[in-house]
Amino acid sequence: MANVRLPDDFFFGAALSGPQTEGMWKAYGKLENLWDLWSGENLGAFYNRVGSYGGNDMGARYAEDFRIFHELGLSSCRTSIQWSRLMDADGHLNREGADFYHKLLAAAREAGVEVFVNLYHFDMPAYLFRRGGWDNREVVEAYVSYARAAFTEFGQEVEHWFTFNEPIVEPEQRYEHGNWYPFHHDFAQARRVQYGISLAHALAVGAFRELQAAGTVRPDAKIGLINCFTPPYTRENPTPADLEAVRMTDGLGNRWWLDLVTKGSLPTDVLDTLAEHGVHLPVRAGDDAILAQGVVDWLGFNYYHPARVQAPKQTVDEWGNPVFSEEYVWPDAVMNKSRGWEIYPQGIYDFAMTMTHDYPDLDWFVSENGIGIEEHHAARTADGRIDDVAYRVPFVADHLRWIARAIDEGARCKGYHYWGVIDCWSWNNAFKNRYGFVEVDLQDNYCRRLKASAEWLRNVAVTHVIED
Ligand code: BG6
């Protein structure tokens, strides 16, 4: 293998989210969100009983963190505003919360780091969840008011906006697989929630366009959506039923969102199959016109692992839900055992080629990629650093090599954000798996310390060269 070079205008940055970093869960008028609610009800559900409260202390350390990003050669980072911090329970702007984000954005500017702002990262305010969450149109409307307030308040400061991070995850984790609060196993509800989020996305894009036309949002601002697209694969010599499993996995997880953000509609083959199984979306007159507003300026692609599926042995599960696919365990899979996710760097290239072929006009970037490893026993070098080079560097280098190849073959991939450049809180895994190039020492007041891999990241971000 030879050295590989990424284009000069390819950007490098960090991906993070408000609820996983800020902490200060009751400061600046912040309301309870679903993570705070679940932490309060059952702290034992969180690794080492570390709930949502502290984040990684970025709320107190953002200036330091932006300086670290800059020193690592990163020009941008994406985080999220927390709905539960920016708005009060009457749906009005919470001035204290807004001022917090103004200060955070100013600190980033001072450090030379651009902040991409995402509006929602699995963090529904608890009082709105109690009113039905995404299953209730009034909550969809409340989200749009929140989005309007954010565009209005920060419209002159922020250039890159996103409506949602991984909108497929809440339908699946909360309502279908029962892993996250409120632990439902209801396929039909999951699809209603998915539909509600789709409407919310489209309405927010519509509001963004309107406020941009009025001059409230700066003229060079762009809006997009971020999703964890999983390139779908099945076994060799597939049966028609295996291919059908691929179609629905791809349809619900990937094409649903890709069609929404490029065509302003949802894939009819998927809707038809759902209807054949008695799953009907709560469509109202006028919804087509709402969805049509959902076309974005660009897209974020979070990539951790592929989806390997095959025809299911049972087509109905124990809760009476339709089943369209089951996991196919690929014998050659290389696993990240800490997380249980397959490592398959070529997937990033395969998705890039799908984009180039099926959605050729859309710019996109890799908005998350990373490896989370249990590092309790990791070796510390003599200078006190965690030595993570052996697993973190090849992981990132391999993915970047496939990105470079895709760009050479025409992919419109504009940049790469590594997830959790600084270790952060990971939902109910809390601080179990560490993603960072920078350690957060929980035994030392969240102190930041570069890991051994950090020098490699800085070198790649500055030179754009991935050495052999
Ligand atoms: C993405 C999310 O799915 O993956 C992040 O956008 C998340 O919020 C990241 O933290 C890594 O997953 P996990 O579950 O290991 O934290």
Side-chain angles (χ1 to χ4, degrees):
M1 247 188 298
N3 286 355
V4 162
R5 193 182 169 84
L6 285 152
D8 288 344
D9 60 355
F10 188 87
F11 61 82
F12 287 90
L16 42 145
S17 80
Q20 293 173 269
T21 58
E22 286 171 14
M24 304 188 314
W25 66 299
K26 284 190 173 172
Y28 303 119
K30 185 179 166 303
L31 304 172
E32 186 184 54
N33 68 25
L34 269 187
W35 296 98
D36 308 326
L37 173 68
W38 186 10
S39 300
E41 284 189 9
N42 181 14
L43 203 52
F46 296 83
Y47 182 75
N48 273 353
R49 303 179 69 80
V50 176
S52 61
Y53 319 126
N56 71 357
D57 204 30
M58 189 183 179
R61 295 171 176 267
Y62 52 78
E64 176 187 355
D65 287 358
F66 292 132
R67 281 196 297 272
I68 291 173
F69 293 152
H70 181 72
E71 281 161 19
L72 290 175
L74 308 177
S75 60
S76 55
C77 84
R78 182 251 309 188
T79 188
S80 62
I81 288 175
Q82 295 196 67
W83 187 352
S84 53
R85 198 186 293 288
L86 191 68
M87 304 299 280
D88 70 19
D90 294 322
H92 300 128
L93 187 91
N94 163 32
R95 179 45 54 200
E96 275 188 290
D99 288 347
F100 166 77
Y101 289 114
H102 280 300
K103 283 189 206 140
L104 182 143
L105 291 169
R109 276 194 298 277
E110 198 172 316
V113 174
E114 185 196 341
V115 178
F116 295 5
V117 172
N118 170 39
L119 291 172
Y120 188 86
H121 203 119
F122 320 147
D123 55 338
M124 172 73 64
Y127 74 98
L128 291 171
F129 166 77
R130 293 192 185 97
R131 294 182 198 164
W134 296 118
D135 212 354
N136 179 351
R137 287 280 175 128
E138 287 175 21
V139 172
V140 170
E141 291 297 337
Y143 168 83
V144 181
S145 299
Y146 154 58
R148 273 182 184 281
F151 297 146
T152 303
E153 186 69 20
F154 305 104
Q156 298 302 318
E157 284 182 80
V158 176
E159 191 179 335
H160 292 100
W161 292 91
F162 296 91
T163 55
F164 282 87
N165 175 76
E166 301 190 352
I168 189 63
V169 165
E170 281 192 300
E172 290 184 345
Q173 295 289 72
R174 296 195 190 285
Y175 298 103
E176 186 177 346
H177 300 151
N179 295 327
W180 285 358
Y181 197 96
F183 320 110
H184 291 185
H185 290 276
D186 184 340
F187 182 89
Q189 186 185 27
R191 302 293 75 83
R192 293 198 305 273
V193 163
Q194 185 164 342
Y195 186 65
I197 293 174
S198 305
L199 293 168
H201 158 81
L203 285 163
V205 176
F208 175 88
R209 305 266 182 241
E210 185 194 310
L211 291 169
Q212 193 168 40
T216 308
V217 166
R218 52 194 272 178
D220 58 351
K222 287 178 171 183
I223 192 154
L225 176 91
I226 291 170
N227 193 35
C228 46
F229 297 102
T230 50
Y233 306 92
T234 188
R235 57 205 171 99
E236 277 181 47
N237 306 316
T239 64
D242 292 326
L243 295 176
E244 183 59 10
V246 169
R247 181 181 69 83
M248 278 306 278
T249 302
D250 190 36
L252 284 169
N254 301 326
R255 287 188 294 117
W256 179 294
W257 309 106
L258 289 167
D259 279 12
L260 174 63
V261 302
T262 57
K263 301 173 187 161
S265 60
L266 302 176
T268 45
D269 66 296
V270 175
L271 302 186
D272 290 347
T273 304
L274 292 180
E276 282 161 22
H277 287 78
V279 176
H280 298 284
L281 303 176
V283 178
R284 294 186 187 171
D287 281 3
D288 283 353
I290 291 175
L291 294 174
Q293 298 174 43
V295 176
V296 297
D297 302 315
W298 70 330
L299 189 78
F301 166 37
N302 292 354
Y303 180 66
Y304 293 91
H305 56 82
R308 296 196 189 273
V309 296
Q310 59 186 344
K313 282 178 215 54
Q314 288 172 332
T315 53
V316 178
D317 72 11
E318 60 191 298
W319 296 278
N321 294 306
V323 178
F324 294 102
S325 66
E326 68 178 34
E327 191 187 354
Y328 167 62
V329 180
W330 184 39
D332 296 340
V334 175
M335 300 299 291
N336 167 7
K337 295 200 179 71
S338 298
R339 189 61 183 81
W341 282 346
E342 183 185 339
I343 300 173
Y344 189 65
Q346 190 185 329
I348 220 162
Y349 168 84
D350 291 344
F351 176 80
M353 290 299 103
T354 301
M355 290 297 293
T356 309
H357 186 261
D358 295 347
Y359 305 93
D361 299 327
L362 194 63
D363 285 347
W364 55 277
F365 75 112
V366 175
S367 40
E368 284 185 31
N369 177 238
I371 182 163
I373 296 282
E374 279 199 76
E375 283 175 350
H376 294 300
H377 308 295
R380 277 193 194 274
T381 52
D383 61 0
R385 296 184 179 200
I386 285 185
D387 187 357
D388 59 338
V389 169
Y391 48 83
R392 185 154 288 113
V393 168
F395 179 95
V396 179
D398 287 349
H399 284 83
L400 290 174
R401 283 193 194 98
W402 281 108
I403 292 169
R405 179 168 160 186
I407 292 172
D408 282 348
E409 295 178 26
R412 300 173 70 129
C413 178
K414 303 296 172 191
Y416 177 89
H417 278 185
Y418 182 84
W419 172 258
V421 166
I422 298 174
D423 287 339
C424 66
W425 184 79
S426 278
W427 314 120
N428 47 336
N429 278 332
F431 283 92
K432 172 177 167 288
N433 302 322
R434 301 303 188 102
Y435 285 85
F437 284 90
V438 181
E439 177 192 3
V440 168
D441 190 343
L442 299 180
Q443 311 305 323
D444 187 10
N445 194 30
Y446 297 93
C447 165
R448 275 65 168 142
R449 204 174 289 125
L450 298 185
K451 298 183 191 177
S453 59
E455 192 51 41
W456 179 87
L457 177 65
R458 187 200 328 256
N459 190 44
V460 171
V462 170
T463 65
H464 290 205
V465 173
I466 303 117
E467 288 179 4
D468 184 10

